[in-house]
Amino acid sequence: MKRYPCFLLLSVLLLLTPIAVFAFDADADVSSLLKGFDGCFVLHNLQSGQTLKHNASRCDQRMPPCSTFKIPHALVALELGVVKNPDDVVKWDGSPQIFKSWERDHNLYSAIENSVVWYFQRIAEKVGYEKEREYLEKFDYGNKNADRNLTSFWLDQGPLEITANEQIAFLKKFHENTLPVSQRSFEIVKKAILFKQTDEYILRGKTGSGRFEQGGGFGWYVGILECGDDAYLFATNIEGAQNASGKTAREITIKILTELEMLDG
């Protein structure tokens, strides 16, 4: 029997109205796909409320959001007019960067796609401490702490931190468009974090990577899998001595969702 992405769709009759019911194994063991890392994974179905959670205690552990903060940060920039048009180009100043993809001019879309830190550092300078704090409160984002360094408070050493469960809570408000932002800002950022689209599903997500002062690193991948009118929120966080990055967290997430028969790989 052919298996379809986003589960097998079952039609049931309730009060004479056909509705789509999706189910996944909330007790599925995904530990083998996280082997080699101290990590957690959360998957939440918005329609049914069903949740799969691996390593629940770690899912309550706060970590710097790193580049996953580009989702709320882009919303703030658009709301305040710091970014007036997502296609507007910001010039690279010519300084050496960690990645070659950062050593060029960027707009909002390419800066999110390539996780360009310098672009969002310029945004932070224009937003300022007062508005950064104000929107962290409005969004109820993690520990809401932007008190130390205006251009790095969301990066490796914080002080801004968030748990995997809090990432899910933020993504719920984002997906349902209940954050205090305009429809325009919402649609632009939703488009910016698009990763893959097929006839069966739309996958949106953002990676984040960080390093510890004592060595080793950590990675995030958070996002939304849309299947018709239904949506599944996910957050993956990994930590390890080697290869713990946002890219690895994304690869692990895609393997998990494929194993659960939600994606086609």
Side-chain angles (χ1 to χ4, degrees):
M1 177 186 296
K2 182 179 179 180
R3 303 295 288 178
Y4 295 90
C6 281
F7 314 116
L8 281 176
L9 173 62
L10 306 176
S11 293
V12 301
L13 198 63
L14 179 61
L15 299 178
L16 303 181
T17 302
I19 62 172
V21 176
F22 300 93
F24 60 88
D25 183 4
D27 297 318
D29 183 1
V30 300
S31 58
S32 63
L33 299 176
L34 287 148
K35 188 176 181 180
F37 299 102
D38 182 9
C40 80
F41 173 75
V42 184
L43 177 67
H44 178 71
N45 183 327
L46 276 181
Q47 186 182 57
S48 69
Q50 188 179 25
T51 301
L52 185 161
K53 193 173 294 188
H54 169 76
N55 202 352
S57 62
R58 184 178 173 86
C59 292
D60 282 322
Q61 179 181 333
R62 281 180 169 157
M63 306 281 288
C66 296
S67 286
T68 65
F69 185 64
K70 288 180 172 61
I71 300 175
H73 220 176
L75 291 171
V76 173
L78 289 162
E79 283 299 288
L80 296 177
V82 170
V83 173
K84 293 180 172 58
N85 187 311
D87 294 315
D88 288 347
V89 172
V90 177
K91 296 289 186 179
W92 168 48
D93 65 6
S95 61
Q97 298 294 318
I98 299 172
F99 303 107
K100 284 296 180 184
S101 62
W102 295 7
E103 293 183 344
R104 62 180 177 85
D105 302 342
H106 281 279
N107 62 24
L108 183 67
Y109 293 125
S110 65
I112 288 178
E113 180 182 359
N114 292 278
S115 281
V116 182
V117 170
W118 67 255
Y119 178 97
F120 281 89
Q121 287 178 322
R122 293 201 202 170
I123 281 178
E125 289 173 339
K126 293 179 179 179
V127 170
Y129 271 120
E130 182 179 345
K131 288 296 182 180
E132 293 282 10
R133 294 187 186 106
E134 178 184 324
Y135 273 91
L136 286 172
E137 290 286 344
K138 285 181 176 180
F139 292 169
D140 192 23
Y141 188 88
N143 65 359
K144 304 181 282 291
N145 190 341
D147 289 343
R148 204 156 58 222
N149 191 324
L150 181 59
T151 58
S152 64
F153 66 85
W154 65 93
L155 298 176
D156 308 58
Q157 307 307 317
L160 182 63
E161 294 185 331
I162 191 168
T163 71
N165 290 325
E166 288 170 334
Q167 293 269 23
I168 295 294
F170 171 77
L171 289 169
K172 181 177 187 295
K173 288 180 285 188
F174 175 77
H175 178 75
E176 295 177 343
N177 195 13
T178 59
L179 292 168
V181 299
S182 67
Q183 182 71 27
R184 176 180 179 270
S185 297
F186 167 69
E187 294 293 345
I188 289 171
V189 178
K190 189 168 73 166
K191 177 182 176 181
I193 62 171
L194 175 64
F195 181 71
K196 184 177 181 180
Q197 182 169 0
T198 73
D199 291 340
E200 289 83 19
Y201 62 83
I202 299 172
L203 179 62
R204 306 182 196 275
K206 187 69 197 76
T207 57
S209 302
R211 302 295 297 176
F212 296 112
E213 287 183 316
Q214 68 273 24
F218 60 95
W220 285 102
Y221 190 52
V222 304
I224 305 159
L225 176 63
E226 301 171 15
C227 303
D229 294 329
D230 207 358
Y232 304 83
L233 314 177
F234 59 83
T236 304
N237 177 268
I238 59 171
E239 175 182 338
Q242 295 182 330
N243 300 323
S245 67
K247 180 181 178 182
T248 303
R250 181 173 63 198
E251 292 170 353
I252 289 170
T253 303
I254 289 173
K255 286 178 182 178
I256 291 173
L257 295 177
T258 302
E259 182 78 14
L260 293 172
E261 297 183 328
M262 299 175 71
L263 297 182
D264 52 8

